[in-house]
Amino acid sequence: MGISPRLLSLLLIAVTATGCMKEKYTDCFEEPAGRLVTVSAYAGTGEELPAGILTSVHLYYFDEQEIFFSSIQTEPGERVPLPDEAYHIIAWGNLGGNVEIHSGESLREFTLTLKGETRAAYHAQSPGDIFHGMIILEDIPEETTEVVIPIYRKVGSLTVTIKGLQTYTGFTDGFSVVVGETLSRIAFDGTLGGEKVSYRPEGGFTDAADTWYVAPFSLIPGEGVAIDIYHDTSLVASIEAQSSGETITVREGELTNVLIDMTRWQGGSGNLRVSVALTPWGTEAAWKDF
């Protein structure tokens, strides 16, 4: 069966428009000219993270006077042309709907801020698995044709396990925890600021006997984090430190595991055991009592 004159004309138009005729249309595209920029995600230990953890990348370009002039959303591993005017480049990874970018004219005016959970009582939404990095092109040799921006987690994570909650209170449901406080804003240079906020993560009883559990959730790092346990609107207990007296800390790229043991608690400060373990991101502590 021969090719019709109309189809042949369409093929000739396609070849003329692209200047290329290969098996795959994408094979017709050449690498962009000039210097390129890409992003790679790393753990705090310096180990490059596997594919799939970073799902999106936003690049913000500033000139030598730190004046903003352009931004682009790209994909992990994608190499994009580097604008000639670029001097400072800020990279964010995994930006989602729980945060908002406040912009301005200069670098110091740009911030990332947590969104609130409700308007009535301000609890911040969990920011998600956010990465951040920045480079100054003055520090990159001119002969470097591919500029790689290393980015690292800018958030920490926390999980809570409470033993004996039902036995102590006599209730089987209606519980919640409030975790706080941390700062609410990350400047584009990586410094923390803004108002202090708390978080209200979801939790519930597990299959383990009388164990109430909050799965790991992300939050802005901070020291002196407290955990308030509520039944409906009544405060059951307020945890401000470990049993050892050390404060509860949330660190970038790590998971803070908190175990609150109420099985022998009679109220007050005695016999309420609080243990904390810091583990790598995504790796929960195996408590000896479990």
Side-chain angles (χ1 to χ4, degrees):
M1 182 176 179
I3 299 177
S4 69
R6 175 177 172 77
L7 179 57
L8 181 59
S9 298
L10 290 174
L11 288 172
L12 289 174
I13 291 172
V15 172
T16 304
T18 62
C20 171
M21 188 171 181
K22 294 180 179 287
E23 289 186 15
K24 295 182 179 180
Y25 182 68
T26 52
D27 292 340
C28 295
F29 294 101
E30 298 180 356
E31 288 288 345
R35 302 177 82 184
L36 305 175
V37 61
T38 188
V39 167
S40 291
Y42 294 86
T45 57
E47 179 182 357
E48 188 170 4
L49 294 174
I53 293 177
L54 197 64
T55 58
S56 66
V57 174
H58 289 75
L59 300 176
Y60 292 81
Y61 300 114
F62 300 82
D63 65 17
E64 193 167 354
Q65 284 72 45
E66 300 186 352
I67 302 301
F68 171 74
F69 68 87
S70 180
S71 66
I72 184 175
Q73 180 175 353
T74 181
E75 301 294 329
E78 183 178 358
R79 298 184 295 173
V80 296
L82 180 62
D84 293 335
E85 312 97 300
Y87 187 80
H88 302 266
I89 306 177
I90 310 297
W92 291 99
N94 295 347
L95 292 183
N98 293 353
V99 299
E100 52 190 354
I101 300 296
H102 294 275
S103 59
E105 292 185 0
S106 66
L107 175 58
R108 66 187 64 186
E109 297 177 84
F110 277 71
T111 60
L112 176 148
T113 304
L114 302 184
K115 288 184 178 180
E117 184 181 279
T118 64
R119 294 185 179 181
Y122 189 75
H123 297 293
Q125 297 184 38
S126 175
D129 191 9
I130 291 179
F131 286 75
H132 170 267
M134 60 185 297
I135 61 166
I136 300 175
L137 286 174
E138 182 182 46
D139 301 330
I140 307 297
E142 291 186 5
E143 60 270 20
T144 302
T145 58
E146 184 174 329
V147 177
V148 179
I149 306 176
I151 60 176
Y152 303 84
R153 280 192 174 95
K154 199 59 185 175
V155 294
S157 57
L158 183 140
T159 178
V160 182
T161 301
I162 307 173
K163 293 186 61 180
L165 181 58
Q166 181 179 335
T167 301
Y168 174 73
T169 62
F171 297 107
T172 58
D173 57 16
F175 295 105
S176 63
V177 299
V178 173
V179 178
E181 294 176 321
T182 73
L183 296 171
S184 58
R185 187 174 65 212
I186 307 174
F188 266 43
D189 65 1
T191 57
L192 305 182
E195 299 178 352
K196 289 188 175 181
V197 295
S198 58
Y199 308 79
R200 189 170 55 185
E202 295 290 331
F205 283 103
T206 69
D207 293 335
D210 200 358
T211 301
W212 201 86
Y213 171 75
V214 173
F217 70 98
S218 66
L219 65 170
I220 289 183
E223 297 182 357
V225 174
I227 300 171
D228 292 335
I229 305 170
Y230 288 89
H231 178 257
D232 293 333
T233 59
S234 299
L235 182 65
V236 175
S238 184
I239 314 300
E240 297 183 349
Q242 308 177 45
S243 296
S244 64
E246 296 180 71
T247 58
I248 300 173
T249 300
V250 176
R251 296 178 180 170
E252 290 181 4
E254 295 186 10
L255 172 60
T256 299
N257 303 261
V258 182
L259 173 63
I260 303 169
D261 189 350
M262 295 180 140
T263 54
R264 299 180 183 178
W265 193 44
Q266 302 299 319
S269 59
N271 296 323
L272 180 60
R273 294 189 297 167
V274 180
S275 303
V276 173
L278 290 174
T279 54
W281 182 278
T283 303
E284 296 189 51
W287 300 110
K288 293 181 180 179
D289 293 339
F290 279 46

